[in-house]
Amino acid sequence: PAYQAEFDAKIAAGGFIEAKDWMPEAYRKTLIRQISQHAHSEIVGMLPEGNWITRAPSLKRKAILLAKVQDEGGHGLYLYAAAETLGVSRDELYEALLSGKAKYSSIFNYPTLNWADIGVIGWLVDGAAIMNQIPLCKCSYGPYSRAMVRICKEESFHQRQGYDLLLAMMRGTPEQRDMVQDAVNRWWWPSIMMFGPHDKDSVHTETTRWGIKRISNDDLRQKFVDATVKQAEVLGVSLPDPDLKWNAERGHYDFGAIDWDEFWNVVQGHGQCNVDRLAARVKAWEDGAWVREAALEHARKRAVREKDAA
Amino acid sequence: PAYQAEFDAKIAAGGFIEAKDWMPEAYRKTLIRQISQHAHSEIVGMLPEGNWITRAPSLKRKAILLAKVQDEGGHGLYLYAAAETLGVSRDELYEALLSGKAKYSSIFNYPTLNWADIGVIGWLVDGAAIMNQIPLCKCSYGPYSRAMVRICKEESFHQRQGYDLLLAMMRGTPEQRDMVQDAVNRWWWPSIMMFGPHDKDSVHTETTRWGIKRISNDDLRQKFVDATVKQAEVLGVSLPDPDLKWNAERGHYDFGAIDWDEFWNVVQGHGQCNVDRLAARVKAWEDGAWVREAALEHARKRAVREKDAA
Amino acid sequence: MTQRNTAAPGHIEYVLRLGDNALILGQRLSEWCGHAPVLEEDMALANTALDLIGQARLLLTHAGRLEGRGRDEDQLAFLRGERDYRNLTLAELPNEDFGRTVVRNFLFAAFQVPLYQRLTASSDAELAAVAAKSLKEARYHLSHAGEWVIRLGDGTDVSHDKAQAALDYLWPYTAEFFAANPIDDAVSAAGIGPAWHNLEADWEAAVVPVLVEATLTVPARTPFASYGKFGRHSEHMGHLLATMQTMQRTYPGAQW
Amino acid sequence: MTQRNTAAPGHIEYVLRLGDNALILGQRLSEWCGHAPVLEEDMALANTALDLIGQARLLLTHAGRLEGRGRDEDQLAFLRGERDYRNLTLAELPNEDFGRTVVRNFLFAAFQVPLYQRLTASSDAELAAVAAKSLKEARYHLSHAGEWVIRLGDGTDVSHDKAQAALDYLWPYTAEFFAANPIDDAVSAAGIGPAWHNLEADWEAAVVPVLVEATLTVPARTPFASYGKFGRHSEHMGHLLATMQTMQRTYPGAQW
């Protein structure tokens, strides 16, 4: 139909689709799934870092971490709002998370085991997220694109703070340096996996055609590895991959084979924290039911009073 | 009537009343009240000490404290069992505690604020309890008397362990000695108050006539003070009473005026931990309801099966 | 620099009380992270915690300078013994549920607002500056928590009962806010800050109308007394400190 | 004395695993004190904790002697870093409710019993003596917890669901009991104790019939893996250690 042609033309011209524009149902569904997964990831992602707020070793670091986790809540809010422009409600999306129907980023099913994990999450996990997200700033759906611009800016800030935390620890005692190395050993491969399956095994070809996804998984992953190896050198940590080495011919770093069994195990629910993460979110939601009901009931009472007074 | 005469004669002869013997209703009620209060005190008394089990500074002390708290649960059990011989159920008594109708010893409404509190509770609180309880080993009600014999033996053991804990701390660092002195400062007066109001203000004269109470509050208190002052000297702590001094004429230590306002405030619910102590016990009881129901239901199912099989 | 040798012990203690209130309540609120009833409140509680930790940093840094023994904010925050903390007992109580959390935030912010207001005119210029910055934050906390007190109190039957229970539980601890003591009088005479017992009328004026609008019953005063600001804390404090201090105690001397 | 210089690292590690299991589960169970559903269980849980702490004392003392670096039971219990604890992850998980607590005690005791049984014949005479003493305790724990698993599983609908949920939650962590590793093989070859992967059949034989009687569904094995016995713990461990170590970390060198 004419609508479809107009949509295709806009995409082809690199223009933005807005909430009120016509869009194919599959495009809408794909976006809802992707944006809400991203929102859920922000929300669940508050937990592994939140685990260390009460134990942060200095007031400055405690404040930085609090601010960061608060930002993640904010990202969740923008993203739910972006998803809502597509005709779903936040509660609906959230219930899908809590019931286990909707996914969130698998990376948050790994535990935060020492203070350096907080730095490494900033450096590697936020770093990988940024690589993934920068192309989304130009994605074809306007509200999502604009949310991503804002989010990417804050994520870069978080990444620098994480790296700074690690630099401080590497300048410290042998115990502190061991913590950093231990954290890097645990988070390196999961970070690499954040870019998803290899292009040859990847199924979301429509998202490329629609201008949602603009760079392939493997290209992003390579870009991340190339950028990170140098940062690791500056930091003075080794990356846990014996096959990692510069390939002058390709102009890139080669790296070892990814353990995709591990990746799919975690995606399918068998990571170390899948159960605890979801349980924490479900408990918060259930424990808070009376609060949400009270807020609704109070708003209702107030509306009645205002109507009576009018 | 004849029963009453027989009862009176037995009391007068220093004999024991047993569960199956006739007894005046008031005697029964008084005993139920006193024994159940005592049982409740053991149960609530697990909380202030339990507060330190997870933080005990050595494995030996952790084991001693666990064993002690377990003993207190055991005392609670003997005492509830003794009360049950008077025709009430444990659940009935326990519900009276949880609803706030029944009392427990006010001493457990004070907080345990440092590790030395655990030693001081053994030394002073258990010490005062023993002074109060030794005469009860000869009280006129047989089941209560026999429970008290067993309890007093264990309490003496606890008292020695508490004193030993304090001796070890007094041999330690200045910080450890400060902790002991701080704990003594906080627990001394409440321990003194454990003997209850002065004789002239005390109302339970019937309990003396019935052979339940055999020594007066003030006499027990004096005995406690006399014994404790010397122990404090050996320990090397000062007792927080400027009026405390040997009175050669009386052959006893004189001591300062007791702040009875403080005593009655705590009895009436305004101590630092009254609300928290009862809340902890209520929460344990409510959280455990499904467990007790399960045990009953399983027993019922099993009985039905055994009957069917028979 | 001259302050170093001239600060009276009461002055240092007064600033420690302010700093420790912010530190310890900030620590408690930070436990909420990721566990609030709605996302907006996850953020609001983290934000309040962040404001309070920020206040604590300024106040403890200042207290350390007044003391002149070279202790910085982290040494004061993480390396004191329990009896050397000077926060109000109210600040260290467990969060329990969202009801008790917002009622506490409300009762506390209603105390911080008039206190910081007066402190903006402190003879201690550094303290006056911190108070001016923090006053805006405290006002926001008061308004935000006050709105929740009204929503919960005048919400459902369940929320009303929970809000009332929270108020009944917390109220006795507010007597400590105003408990008279010599250091307050000395500090007040020196123009450093108000004696806290003079703040009770302002506090009530902020608190009572909101409780009334929330259809809650204002509890009666009782003889209950707590002593956190004098260094004698509740049983909860030791557990809070075990968590908060764990890294600094386990890795003494490390920089982070 | 000759042991001091001859104990293989695997031998020390093996004994540490045994000691840390007892220590960490004992620590968790001691949190129950005063909070159990009935008085008898308050006492039973305290008693189990006490038995486990007793086992930990003997085992850690022995590990310290084998190590020969002068560390006593308290230095090992309270002054190691998290990665140096060798307990099974299962032991450090939060108690949650009474259901999860007794199901864990059951799954763990069913492992301890055949382990201690074999250890009574250890070539390490000290270890054999500890195992002989502890075996009786473990047998009692197994029987007591097993009875509760049956009561809860075959009780009300609510208790059945809670027991099943507890089992489903805990089951994946039991794979770690039997995870093969070189030190087990070395220790086993030296006659010190069984390789843990050889205990699975005995464990299942103890566990499955009780679960069946409790009308519970035995969960399937999944790829989930935990690594506590190799020193890589869960997020819960750091919080447990913050509490357990607080006194020793805060007052270094003090004797208690």
Side-chain angles (χ1 to χ4, degrees):
Chain A
Y3 288 143
Q4 178 77 51
E6 197 183 327
F7 173 86
D8 289 343
K10 214 180 259 174
I11 297 276
F16 288 122
I17 308 298
E18 294 299 332
K20 281 164 290 184
D21 295 342
W22 181 91
M23 60 189 85
E25 206 39 40
Y27 177 86
R28 182 190 303 274
K29 276 197 178 148
T30 299
L31 277 170
I32 290 175
R33 184 176 51 76
Q34 179 168 335
I35 300 174
S36 67
Q37 278 187 20
H38 189 169
H40 299 332
S41 300
E42 296 284 355
I43 302 314
V44 176
M46 296 168 81
L47 297 171
E49 295 179 287
N51 180 40
W52 280 92
I53 294 178
T54 58
R55 293 176 291 168
S58 77
L59 291 184
K60 179 183 137 189
R61 297 289 175 198
K62 192 189 288 279
I64 289 173
L65 183 53
L66 270 166
K68 182 182 177 190
V69 176
Q70 199 190 356
D71 282 348
E72 285 161 3
H75 298 174
L77 276 185
Y78 314 153
L79 288 163
Y80 284 125
E84 285 187 313
T85 63
L86 293 159
V88 283
S89 74
R90 197 217 292 184
D91 279 4
E92 211 173 319
L93 297 172
Y94 202 63
E95 303 275 1
L97 169 67
L98 299 183
S99 70
K101 270 197 297 184
K103 297 255 174 257
Y104 56 87
S105 175
S106 237
I107 194 79
F108 300 119
N109 292 317
Y110 290 87
T112 51
L113 299 182
N114 81 53
W115 173 250
D117 288 40
I118 298 306
V120 170
I121 286 178
W123 174 40
L124 296 182
V125 176
D126 292 347
I130 292 167
M131 286 285 174
N132 267 329
Q133 290 168 7
I134 282 181
L136 290 172
C137 295
K138 295 184 187 164
C139 100
S140 62
Y141 187 59
Y144 189 26
S145 154
R146 289 187 292 273
M148 290 317 302
V149 169
R150 196 163 160 187
I151 289 171
C152 279
K153 218 156 122 187
E154 293 183 4
E155 294 279 23
S156 301
F157 187 59
H158 296 162
Q159 194 197 12
R160 279 199 301 278
Q161 288 177 322
Y163 194 70
D164 176 72
L165 184 161
L166 298 175
L167 279 173
M169 287 183 75
M170 291 305 288
R171 281 193 300 264
T173 66
E175 280 165 316
Q176 287 176 294
R177 285 193 291 275
D178 285 351
M179 285 184 215
V180 176
Q181 186 63 59
D182 174 48
V184 169
N185 291 347
R186 285 181 285 104
W187 289 96
W188 172 251
W189 287 107
S191 301
I192 293 287
M193 294 179 197
M194 283 176 70
F195 297 93
H198 288 307
D199 297 343
K200 63 180 170 57
D201 305 317
S202 191
V203 289
H204 302 298
T205 49
E206 272 189 325
T207 57
T208 308
R209 186 163 55 77
W210 282 331
I212 298 174
K213 186 167 182 61
R214 294 189 177 274
I215 310 185
S216 83
N217 290 352
D218 284 331
D219 287 352
L220 287 167
R221 185 168 11 240
Q222 184 68 59
K223 212 172 149 190
F224 174 75
V225 171
D226 290 348
T228 308
V229 169
K230 282 158 207 162
Q231 293 161 356
E233 278 166 16
V234 172
L235 207 50
V237 293
S238 66
L239 297 172
D241 179 358
D243 297 326
L244 189 70
K245 59 174 168 292
W246 179 250
N247 181 329
E249 204 172 321
R250 291 207 302 128
H252 290 295
Y253 282 91
D254 289 340
F255 52 93
I258 293 171
D259 180 356
W260 291 109
D261 285 348
E262 155 84 6
F263 176 77
W264 290 112
N265 279 341
V266 179
V267 169
Q268 280 154 25
H270 308 303
Q272 280 181 64
C273 300
N274 299 60
V275 174
D276 286 346
R277 295 284 183 252
L278 207 55
R281 273 298 172 185
V282 168
K283 183 174 190 308
W285 192 246
E286 289 177 355
D287 286 354
W290 69 274
V291 175
R292 296 189 303 274
E293 282 158 19
L296 283 176
E297 176 61 12
H298 178 72
R300 193 194 60 77
K301 283 184 183 174
R302 179 165 281 196
V304 169
R305 267 182 236 134
E306 276 161 16
K307 204 181 141 205
D308 288 354
Chain B
Y3 287 145
Q4 178 77 51
E6 197 182 330
F7 173 86
D8 290 343
K10 212 180 260 173
I11 296 278
F16 288 122
I17 308 298
E18 293 299 334
K20 282 164 288 183
D21 295 341
W22 181 91
M23 61 188 85
E25 207 40 39
Y27 176 86
R28 183 189 303 273
K29 277 197 176 147
T30 298
L31 276 171
I32 290 175
R33 185 176 50 77
Q34 179 168 336
I35 299 173
S36 67
Q37 277 186 22
H38 189 167
H40 300 331
S41 300
E42 296 283 356
I43 302 315
V44 176
M46 296 168 82
L47 297 171
E49 295 179 287
N51 180 41
W52 279 91
I53 294 178
T54 57
R55 292 176 293 168
S58 78
L59 292 183
K60 178 182 137 191
R61 297 288 174 198
K62 193 190 288 279
I64 290 173
L65 183 53
L66 269 167
K68 182 182 177 191
V69 175
Q70 198 190 359
D71 282 348
E72 285 160 5
H75 299 174
L77 277 186
Y78 314 152
L79 289 163
Y80 284 124
E84 286 187 312
T85 63
L86 293 159
V88 282
S89 75
R90 197 217 293 187
D91 279 4
E92 211 174 319
L93 297 172
Y94 201 64
E95 302 274 2
L97 168 68
L98 297 183
S99 71
K101 270 196 296 184
K103 296 256 175 257
Y104 56 87
S105 176
S106 239
I107 194 78
F108 300 118
N109 292 316
Y110 290 86
T112 50
L113 299 183
N114 81 54
W115 173 250
D117 287 40
I118 298 306
V120 169
I121 286 179
W123 174 40
L124 297 182
V125 175
D126 292 347
I130 293 166
M131 286 284 174
N132 267 330
Q133 290 169 5
I134 283 179
L136 290 173
C137 296
K138 296 183 186 164
C139 101
S140 62
Y141 187 59
Y144 190 25
S145 153
R146 288 188 292 273
M148 290 317 302
V149 170
R150 195 163 161 188
I151 289 170
C152 279
K153 218 156 121 186
E154 293 183 4
E155 294 279 21
S156 302
F157 187 60
H158 297 163
Q159 195 197 13
R160 279 199 301 278
Q161 288 177 321
Y163 194 71
D164 175 71
L165 184 162
L166 297 175
L167 280 172
M169 286 183 75
M170 291 303 288
R171 280 193 300 265
T173 67
E175 280 165 315
Q176 287 177 295
R177 285 193 291 276
D178 286 351
M179 284 184 216
V180 176
Q181 186 62 58
D182 174 49
V184 170
N185 291 348
R186 285 181 284 105
W187 288 96
W188 173 252
W189 286 107
S191 302
I192 293 287
M193 294 178 197
M194 283 176 70
F195 298 93
H198 288 307
D199 298 343
K200 63 181 169 58
D201 306 317
S202 192
V203 288
H204 302 297
T205 50
E206 272 189 323
T207 58
T208 308
R209 184 161 57 77
W210 282 332
I212 298 174
K213 185 167 184 60
R214 296 191 177 274
I215 310 185
S216 83
N217 291 353
D218 284 331
D219 287 353
L220 286 168
R221 184 167 14 238
Q222 184 69 58
K223 213 172 152 191
F224 174 74
V225 171
D226 290 348
T228 308
V229 169
K230 282 159 208 158
Q231 293 162 354
E233 279 166 15
V234 172
L235 206 51
V237 293
S238 65
L239 297 172
D241 178 359
D243 298 327
L244 189 71
K245 57 174 170 291
W246 179 250
N247 181 328
E249 203 171 320
R250 292 204 303 127
H252 289 294
Y253 283 90
D254 289 340
F255 52 93
I258 292 170
D259 180 356
W260 292 110
D261 285 348
E262 155 85 6
F263 176 77
W264 290 113
N265 280 342
V266 179
V267 170
Q268 281 153 25
H270 308 302
Q272 281 181 62
C273 301
N274 299 59
V275 174
D276 286 345
R277 295 284 184 252
L278 208 54
R281 273 297 172 187
V282 168
K283 182 173 191 309
W285 192 245
E286 289 177 354
D287 286 354
W290 70 274
V291 176
R292 297 189 301 276
E293 282 157 21
L296 284 177
E297 176 61 12
H298 177 73
R300 193 194 62 76
K301 284 184 182 172
R302 178 166 284 194
V304 169
R305 266 182 237 134
E306 276 161 15
K307 205 180 138 202
D308 289 353
Chain C
M1 293 300 281
T2 52
Q3 270 186 332
R4 279 206 186 166
N5 301 313
T6 56
H11 187 175
I12 301 168
E13 171 113 358
Y14 190 88
V15 178
L16 277 180
R17 286 185 189 171
L18 299 169
D20 286 346
N21 281 341
L23 173 67
I24 301 300
L25 185 55
Q27 174 73 10
R28 272 292 182 225
L29 291 179
S30 74
E31 294 171 11
W32 268 104
C33 179
H35 308 288
V38 282
L39 186 49
E40 284 80 356
E41 290 313 306
D42 248 333
M43 293 172 65
L45 288 167
N47 191 53
T48 307
L50 183 56
D51 287 344
L52 291 169
I53 296 296
Q55 294 172 18
R57 295 184 65 190
L58 297 169
L59 290 161
L60 293 179
T61 297
H62 185 49
R65 285 201 197 118
L66 289 173
E67 185 190 53
R69 283 167 46 200
R71 294 203 285 182
D72 65 15
E73 60 182 59
D74 288 329
Q75 282 165 298
L76 286 170
F78 297 108
L79 291 169
R80 277 180 288 164
E82 177 175 321
R83 298 228 32 167
D84 297 324
Y85 285 84
R86 289 292 183 262
N87 57 283
L88 295 165
T89 309
L90 181 100
E92 77 208 29
L93 301 174
N95 290 323
E96 188 75 10
D97 63 4
F98 186 77
R100 197 183 282 178
T101 297
V102 295
V103 174
R104 169 173 47 194
N105 283 356
F106 170 68
L107 296 173
F108 177 73
F111 176 71
Q112 255 196 344
V113 166
L115 177 54
Y116 281 151
Q117 246 163 353
R118 312 253 188 126
L119 284 171
T120 57
S122 172
S123 61
D124 174 342
E126 174 70 20
L127 188 53
V130 176
K133 179 197 164 294
S134 307
L135 177 58
K136 275 173 268 177
E137 295 169 351
R139 281 200 174 118
Y140 176 74
H141 303 163
L142 178 60
S143 130
H144 185 81
E147 281 165 25
W148 271 108
V149 170
I150 292 167
R151 274 189 209 106
L152 298 182
D154 187 27
T156 64
D157 289 351
V158 169
S159 74
H160 177 88
D161 291 353
K162 281 180 188 275
Q164 185 69 54
L167 184 64
D168 292 345
Y169 181 83
L170 295 168
W171 191 261
Y173 289 94
T174 62
E176 186 186 334
F177 295 5
F178 313 109
N181 65 100
I183 80 131
D184 265 21
D185 294 333
V187 164
S188 165
I192 294 162
W196 290 10
H197 57 86
N198 289 330
L199 296 172
E200 190 161 9
D202 283 358
W203 179 76
E204 281 190 2
V207 163
V208 172
V210 172
L211 297 181
V212 169
E213 185 176 348
T215 73
L216 295 170
T217 304
V218 180
R221 283 275 166 229
T222 68
F224 178 91
S226 58
Y227 304 94
K229 73 178 181 185
F230 305 109
R232 217 172 98 194
H233 295 276
S234 69
E235 284 181 2
H236 308 292
M237 187 68 170
H239 297 278
L240 181 149
L241 292 180
T243 297
M244 189 174 82
Q245 297 185 338
T246 182
M247 292 293 287
Q248 290 268 356
R249 295 289 188 194
T250 304
Y251 304 102
Q255 298 299 309
W256 304 92
Chain D
M1 292 300 281
T2 51
Q3 271 188 331
R4 280 208 188 168
N5 301 312
T6 56
H11 187 176
I12 301 168
E13 171 113 358
Y14 190 88
V15 178
L16 277 179
R17 286 184 189 171
L18 298 169
D20 287 345
N21 280 341
L23 172 68
I24 300 299
L25 185 56
Q27 173 73 8
R28 272 292 182 223
L29 291 179
S30 74
E31 293 171 12
W32 268 105
C33 179
H35 308 288
V38 283
L39 186 48
E40 284 80 355
E41 289 314 305
D42 249 332
M43 294 172 65
L45 288 168
N47 190 54
T48 306
L50 184 55
D51 287 344
L52 291 170
I53 296 295
Q55 294 173 18
R57 295 184 65 189
L58 298 170
L59 289 162
L60 293 180
T61 298
H62 185 51
R65 285 200 197 117
L66 290 174
E67 186 190 52
R69 282 166 47 199
R71 295 202 286 183
D72 65 14
E73 61 183 54
D74 288 328
Q75 282 165 298
L76 286 171
F78 297 108
L79 292 169
R80 276 180 289 164
E82 179 176 320
R83 298 227 33 167
D84 297 324
Y85 286 85
R86 291 291 183 262
N87 57 284
L88 294 165
T89 308
L90 181 101
E92 77 207 31
L93 301 174
N95 291 323
E96 187 74 11
D97 63 3
F98 186 76
R100 197 183 282 178
T101 297
V102 295
V103 173
R104 169 172 48 194
N105 283 356
F106 170 68
L107 297 173
F108 177 73
F111 177 71
Q112 255 195 344
V113 166
L115 177 55
Y116 282 150
Q117 247 162 351
R118 313 254 188 124
L119 284 172
T120 57
S122 172
S123 61
D124 174 342
E126 174 70 20
L127 188 54
V130 175
K133 178 195 164 294
S134 305
L135 176 58
K136 276 174 266 173
E137 296 170 350
R139 282 199 174 118
Y140 176 74
H141 303 163
L142 178 60
S143 130
H144 184 82
E147 281 165 25
W148 270 109
V149 169
I150 293 167
R151 274 189 209 106
L152 298 182
D154 187 27
T156 64
D157 289 351
V158 168
S159 73
H160 177 87
D161 291 352
K162 281 180 188 276
Q164 185 69 54
L167 184 64
D168 292 345
Y169 181 83
L170 295 168
W171 191 261
Y173 290 94
T174 62
E176 186 186 333
F177 295 6
F178 312 109
N181 65 101
I183 80 133
D184 265 21
D185 294 333
V187 164
S188 166
I192 293 163
W196 290 10
H197 58 87
N198 288 331
L199 296 171
E200 190 161 9
D202 283 358
W203 179 77
E204 280 189 3
V207 163
V208 172
V210 172
L211 297 181
V212 169
E213 185 175 348
T215 73
L216 295 170
T217 305
V218 180
R221 282 276 166 228
T222 68
F224 178 91
S226 58
Y227 304 94
K229 74 178 180 185
F230 305 108
R232 218 171 97 193
H233 295 277
S234 70
E235 284 182 3
H236 308 293
M237 186 69 170
H239 297 277
L240 180 149
L241 292 180
T243 296
M244 189 174 83
Q245 297 186 338
T246 181
M247 292 293 286
Q248 290 269 357
R249 294 289 187 192
T250 305
Y251 304 103
Q255 297 298 311
W256 304 92

